[in-house]
Amino acid sequence: TVMACGDVIYRSTLPHNDGLTITAPGVALALAAASYLWATPGVAPGFFDMFVLAFAERLFRPTFRKDDFVPGKKLGEGAFGVVYKASLADPKAAEKQGDVVVKKATEYGAVEIWMNERVRRACASSCADFLYGFRESKTKGKGEEYWLIWRYEGEDTLSALMQSKEFPYNVETKILGNVQDLPKGIARENKIVQTVMGQLLFALDGLHSTGIVHRDIKPQNVIFSEGNDQHICLQFHTKIFSTDLFTFSPLEESRTFKIIDLGAAADLRVGINYIPKEFLLDPR
């Protein structure tokens, strides 16, 4: 007891540090931690997006159910879902919203919904304009299915355009606005193809800058948007992508190629759909 009492008395005589002591090692450690958290892919922004922005978005966004849509033309079918052109069942809502694209996915639908929502918040101009995604129980049998809705922007994929004998001239007026004052040949074709590649690389840059890796880039997953692009990523306002081959600004034209099908994408900020030892391969 005497020793304990003496220890208390001794400690009471020591100088007290009432404030925060700033030391060089401490500053270096803090800067290193901040650099790690904010460096690409950006763990700290990903945390903020996942737990703040995503939560706030769910409170204010419109909601849909599968009964709200009238399916129309079938646009495509893959291993994990079927895509339709559709319209809203409510005539007034349909007139206001316009046509939409609906995908009914059976697998990896939750991942694709997350990726599309992330892209819409971070850089919507990279991909097709996503509206909403939800999950519903199947009417027959067990299990659940995921429904994803995009604004209808067109149905021409880069793959379909490339299969035409007129390629690349069949996309000339789409992306350049008019026919070039050049004879048909390498110089004219190069400008068209380089513009397509510029748009595609800009879209990829938007995804990568927000920590998303698509992992399934191919002509079938690149669609030409006819316009109505109301979401322009802020970073596109402040930089121009340049190489020795071409210089391109996505602000020059809203009619542009966009990336679709994010079912295989990985979000490196929060680790969703990322397994380090898993390799993806499309045999095509």
Side-chain angles (χ1 to χ4, degrees):
T1 302
V2 172
M3 291 178 66
C5 181
D7 185 62
V8 170
I9 295 173
Y10 169 72
R11 290 179 182 276
S12 69
T13 63
L14 297 176
H16 293 279
N17 186 9
D18 297 327
L20 178 66
T21 301
I22 299 177
T23 63
V27 171
L29 183 61
L31 291 176
S35 299
Y36 172 77
L37 292 175
W38 287 91
T40 303
V43 177
F47 181 89
F48 180 76
D49 177 90
M50 186 174 188
F51 293 102
V52 179
L53 295 182
F55 176 78
E57 185 183 60
R58 294 189 189 102
L59 297 177
F60 300 103
R61 69 183 179 186
T63 58
F64 298 99
R65 297 265 72 89
K66 64 181 181 180
D67 294 335
D68 294 334
F69 301 96
V70 179
K73 177 183 176 182
K74 182 177 177 180
L75 300 178
E77 183 175 1
F80 304 116
V82 186
V83 181
Y84 298 92
K85 183 178 179 181
S87 59
L88 292 172
D90 184 350
K92 292 183 178 179
E95 183 178 358
K96 181 179 179 181
Q97 176 62 59
D99 291 332
V100 296
V101 174
V102 176
K103 179 177 182 178
K104 182 172 68 173
T106 55
E107 293 185 56
Y108 303 106
V111 169
E112 191 168 2
I113 289 174
W114 166 262
M115 297 299 168
N116 278 279
E117 290 180 344
R118 282 278 292 110
V119 169
R120 181 178 60 191
R121 292 191 297 269
C123 196
S125 59
S126 290
C127 300
D129 190 1
F130 186 68
L131 296 177
Y132 190 67
F134 58 91
R135 179 181 62 185
E136 285 204 5
S137 300
K138 293 182 178 179
T139 54
K140 295 181 180 180
K142 298 180 180 180
E144 295 176 318
E145 57 190 13
Y146 294 89
W147 291 72
L148 296 88
I149 302 100
W150 293 267
R151 194 184 312 278
Y152 179 78
E153 300 180 76
E155 55 188 80
D156 287 334
T157 64
L158 181 57
S159 175
L161 294 169
M162 289 172 64
Q163 291 174 6
S164 170
K165 293 181 180 180
E166 297 299 319
F167 184 82
Y169 301 108
N170 59 338
V171 301
E172 185 174 27
T173 57
K174 289 178 177 288
I175 58 176
L176 297 177
N178 51 33
V179 177
Q180 301 175 78
D181 189 18
L182 291 170
K184 284 190 175 182
I186 294 298
R188 184 172 167 185
E189 292 178 4
N190 278 350
K191 185 172 182 180
I192 300 171
V193 174
Q194 288 165 6
T195 303
V196 173
M197 286 302 300
Q199 294 179 355
L200 177 56
L201 291 175
F202 251 110
L204 276 174
D205 181 61
L207 289 178
H208 293 172
S209 66
T210 193
I212 293 178
V213 184
H214 188 276
R215 303 198 299 184
D216 195 19
I217 293 296
K218 56 189 177 185
Q220 291 88 343
N221 287 341
V222 179
I223 193 170
F224 181 74
S225 172
E226 297 288 348
N228 298 323
D229 188 2
Q230 299 174 353
H231 307 280
I232 300 297
C233 182
L234 291 180
Q235 65 177 330
F236 284 173
H237 285 273
T238 58
K239 69 179 182 179
I240 300 296
F241 183 90
S242 300
T243 73
D244 294 335
L245 293 177
F246 57 87
T247 300
F248 171 76
S249 169
L251 297 180
E252 293 173 359
E253 183 60 69
S254 61
R255 292 161 54 86
T256 183
F257 283 97
K258 294 184 176 182
I259 297 171
I260 59 174
D261 198 350
L262 301 175
D267 190 338
L268 300 183
R269 284 184 169 177
V270 292
I272 290 180
N273 208 30
Y274 176 58
I275 303 174
K277 295 184 179 180
E278 180 183 81
F279 297 91
L280 300 180
L281 173 64
D282 188 321
R284 290 174 291 181

